[in-house]
Amino acid sequence: MTLTVKAKAQEAARFLRQLRPLRPRVAVILGSGLGAVAEEVREPLVVPYRDIPHFPLSTVEGHAGRLVAGLWNGQEVLIFQGRFHLYEGYSLAEVTFPVRLAQALGAEVLVVTNAAGGINPEFKPGDLMLITDHINFMGTNPLIGPNDPELGPRFPSLTPPYTPFLCDLARRAAEDLHLDLKEGVYIGVTGPSFETPAELKAFARLGADAVGMSTVPEVIVANHAGLKVLAFSVITNSARGEVEEVAQHRAVLDVAASSGPRLARLIGEVIARV
Ligand code: HPA
């Protein structure tokens, strides 16, 4: 018998609750190279993804593949350390399973992070960008197929996709921490090939400030699930279609890792205020 997404998420939630009576308010999905953000969690319950019923396994370099639950700045959080990408061959149901699990556990807020190429010429590697909107350029949508009205509406609104009061909270937190926080539009592509110069020039004209291979599916499902959403990119490389700036996975991970502590401080501050 094949289980529905809702049934799978509920089973996974039940499994976790029997390890500890979790009531997370905020769920966080960490992007490539950003695993260190989870080190902020106090009294962590660490569960490898492979132990959680129905959870896909993460394969890509730079992703630990475990869930960390605990307290962060007084807030009960659920951190997904390691995410799933379409380019690895996962279905969109698998890519977005962590969001359904967060929903099943009663989370109210989803924070998503990623590594991204900087299209905006003002951006440099290491910059943090608040995602204020996105362009779904993946050619698909995680909500395609029968809709379960208990999970969310058939035609959810994505205006706005990122919750304005959380964006404001992030801007104020960055200011108070004296952190430079850029803002912009994220364009999501499937990868795994990096973009051609012509694609990057086209994306700039479409209004994108950063490009990456994740986040859009999770954010669509989070909106469907009624979660409030906040998202950040770490700009790991410039992506303007110039031959001398060829994106490389290793460099992406290194830059993300060195920006991780700054992003952790920012998210920690937002979590303390939310
Ligand atoms: N393109 C797509 N995804 C990325 C990039 C890029 O340049 N950098 C980090 N993730």
Side-chain angles (χ1 to χ4, degrees):
M1 192 188 77
T2 52
L3 291 174
T4 61
V5 167
K6 189 175 83 191
K8 287 180 181 176
Q10 282 175 344
E11 267 188 29
R14 217 174 300 128
F15 167 81
L16 292 167
R17 282 208 180 106
Q18 139 244 308
L19 300 177
R20 198 190 271 188
L22 302 173
R23 299 203 94 261
R25 174 123 185 274
V26 180
V28 184
I29 297 177
L30 297 179
S32 302
L34 293 166
V37 171
E39 283 162 24
E40 308 287 328
V41 176
R42 298 290 158 249
E43 301 167 44
L45 169 73
V46 178
V47 189
Y49 288 166
R50 78 179 92 84
D51 294 348
I52 306 173
H54 310 297
F55 218 88
L57 293 175
S58 79
T59 62
V60 79
E61 192 190 350
H63 289 257
R66 56 194 204 160
L67 187 145
V68 180
L71 287 174
W72 187 1
N73 286 345
Q75 198 80 251
E76 201 177 321
V77 296
L78 195 65
I79 301 198
F80 295 97
Q81 198 179 16
R83 71 133 58 80
F84 309 100
H85 303 85
L86 261 187
Y87 65 73
E88 294 172 273
Y90 295 108
S91 68
L92 282 170
E94 291 174 310
V95 167
T96 58
F97 190 74
V99 185
R100 291 302 181 196
L101 178 54
Q103 177 182 24
L105 286 168
E108 294 164 36
V109 172
L110 180 71
V111 181
V112 189
T113 68
N114 61 55
I119 294 175
N120 186 323
E122 315 258 292
F123 295 178
K124 53 186 189 314
D127 278 350
L128 301 181
M129 184 186 96
L130 172 70
I131 304 179
T132 55
D133 204 342
H134 74 224
I135 297 171
N136 178 5
F137 211 77
M138 292 182 157
T140 184
N141 189 300
L143 302 178
I144 289 174
N147 184 60
D148 181 346
E150 285 181 30
L151 290 180
R154 171 75 290 188
F155 300 107
S157 166
L158 291 181
T159 301
Y162 300 88
T163 309
F165 92 83
L166 290 176
C167 291
D168 280 340
L169 216 61
R171 291 181 185 107
R172 269 182 271 131
E175 220 174 274
D176 294 348
L177 293 171
H178 306 291
L179 287 179
D180 181 32
L181 182 61
K182 308 283 202 261
E183 305 195 359
V185 172
Y186 176 92
I187 187 164
V189 295
T190 65
S193 49
F194 283 113
E195 302 69 39
T196 66
E199 286 165 349
L200 292 173
K201 284 177 189 136
F203 293 167
R205 290 185 157 203
L206 288 178
D209 296 289
V211 57
M213 304 174 189
S214 68
T215 301
V216 164
E218 292 100 317
V219 169
I220 291 172
V221 169
N223 275 274
H224 183 254
L227 300 179
K228 297 178 176 69
V229 182
L230 178 67
F232 300 97
S233 290
V234 173
I235 304 298
T236 54
N237 55 284
S238 59
R240 285 191 279 283
E242 285 160 36
V243 242
E244 62 272 20
E245 51 183 40
V246 179
Q248 285 180 337
H249 187 57
R250 188 71 251 163
V252 166
L253 295 184
D254 290 346
V255 176
S258 64
S259 297
R262 244 182 323 134
L263 184 58
R265 271 203 293 148
L266 181 56
I267 296 176
E269 192 59 34
V270 172
I271 282 177
R273 299 177 183 197
V274 77

